[in-house]
């Protein structure tokens, strides 16, 4: 057990929701996101003494979360097949942007893991190209090319997105 358990609790309490949202953007499922965050936080607890002295513990936790997600994707036998989709919350109306969010999340889910991770780190976590490269363990050129390809893929898929958004509205 780390010596500064109170510091760990404060850190986790202040960052739990942003970590859950980041995990959700990576995997597209709230239950899996919770599992990913739990695993990452257990790893953080094991190394809290060292991590708490770092300049940027958030970068360590983000990198850990990303690696946990990538590790989970490498184990297809551990994934469950979902047959019925149950919404986590009520959709108020089609004008509140819920269909747009569902469309973007569906499009994100179609991207390969590396490209999806680049978009989440760059545009949701607001990391620079250099920070994203450090998190992913690749070059800045790779981040730029993966980002450009991911955005292009999203743009090209958005052509068919209005039909998907209409389906999302009528299915709910």
């Amino acid at each position: 057990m780390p010596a500064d358990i109170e510091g760990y609790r404060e850190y986790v309490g202040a960052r739990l929701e942003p970590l859950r949202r980041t995990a959700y953007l990576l995997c597209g499922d709230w239950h899996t996101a919770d599992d990913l965050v739990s695993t990452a936080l257990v790893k953080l607890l094991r190394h809290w003494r060292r991590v708490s002295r770092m300049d940027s513990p958030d970068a360590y936790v983000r990198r850990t979360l990303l690696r946990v997600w990538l590790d989970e994707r490498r184990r297809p036998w551990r994934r469950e097949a979902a047959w019925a989709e149950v919404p986590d919350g009520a959709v108020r109306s089609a004008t509140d942007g819920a269909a747009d969010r569902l469309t973007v999340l569906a499009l994100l889910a179609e991207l390969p893991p590396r490209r999806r991770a680049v978009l989440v780190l760059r545009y949701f976590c607001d990391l620079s190209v250099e920070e994203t490269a450090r998190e992913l363990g690749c070059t800045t050129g790779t981040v730029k090319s993966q980002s450009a390809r991911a955005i292009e893929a999203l743009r090209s898929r958005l052509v068919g997105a209005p039909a998907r958004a209409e389906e999302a509205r009528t299915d709910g």
Side-chain angles (χ1 to χ4, degrees):
M1 212 34 115
D4 183 20
I5 194 72
E6 259 327 291
Y8 173 80
R9 285 184 181 145
E10 288 175 25
Y11 178 85
V12 169
R15 289 165 179 83
L16 188 58
E17 282 308 308
L19 284 172
R20 283 187 75 232
R21 284 191 304 268
T22 301
Y24 177 76
L25 288 172
L26 288 169
C27 70
D29 176 70
W30 284 110
H31 300 291
T32 304
D34 288 336
D35 291 345
L36 295 175
V37 169
S38 295
T39 302
L41 291 178
V42 166
K43 291 176 184 268
L44 173 65
L45 179 61
R46 277 192 232 138
H47 303 288
W48 178 246
R49 190 179 316 218
R50 178 176 48 90
V51 173
S52 65
R53 292 189 300 260
M54 290 180 171
D55 290 336
S56 181
D58 291 342
Y60 175 88
V61 175
R62 250 191 329 271
R63 190 175 314 114
T64 302
L65 182 63
L66 181 65
R67 287 179 179 162
V68 166
W69 173 64
L70 290 171
D71 190 42
E72 186 66 26
R73 297 226 4 133
R74 291 182 189 112
R75 293 186 171 91
W77 62 88
R78 290 180 44 186
R79 289 193 293 266
E80 297 176 9
W83 295 99
E85 294 290 327
V86 179
D88 286 325
V91 177
R92 291 181 295 265
S93 73
T95 60
D96 71 355
D100 292 338
R101 285 191 297 275
L102 290 174
T103 300
V104 170
L105 288 172
L107 292 173
L108 263 178
E110 294 174 9
L111 292 175
R114 176 79 121 194
R115 290 182 186 169
R116 185 174 182 165
V118 166
L119 289 184
V120 170
L121 292 174
R122 285 280 293 127
Y123 302 107
F124 178 74
C125 295
D126 200 28
L127 298 183
S128 69
V129 171
E130 293 77 16
E131 291 168 326
T132 303
R134 240 187 335 271
E135 294 279 327
L136 294 173
C138 63
T139 66
T140 57
T142 300
V143 170
K144 291 175 186 177
S145 66
Q146 292 292 310
S147 179
R149 289 180 183 138
I151 289 171
E152 182 57 36
L154 291 180
R155 280 188 185 131
S156 68
R157 290 177 178 148
L158 274 173
V159 172
R164 280 184 263 203
E166 187 58 36
E167 289 173 21
R169 265 189 291 243
T170 57
D171 287 346

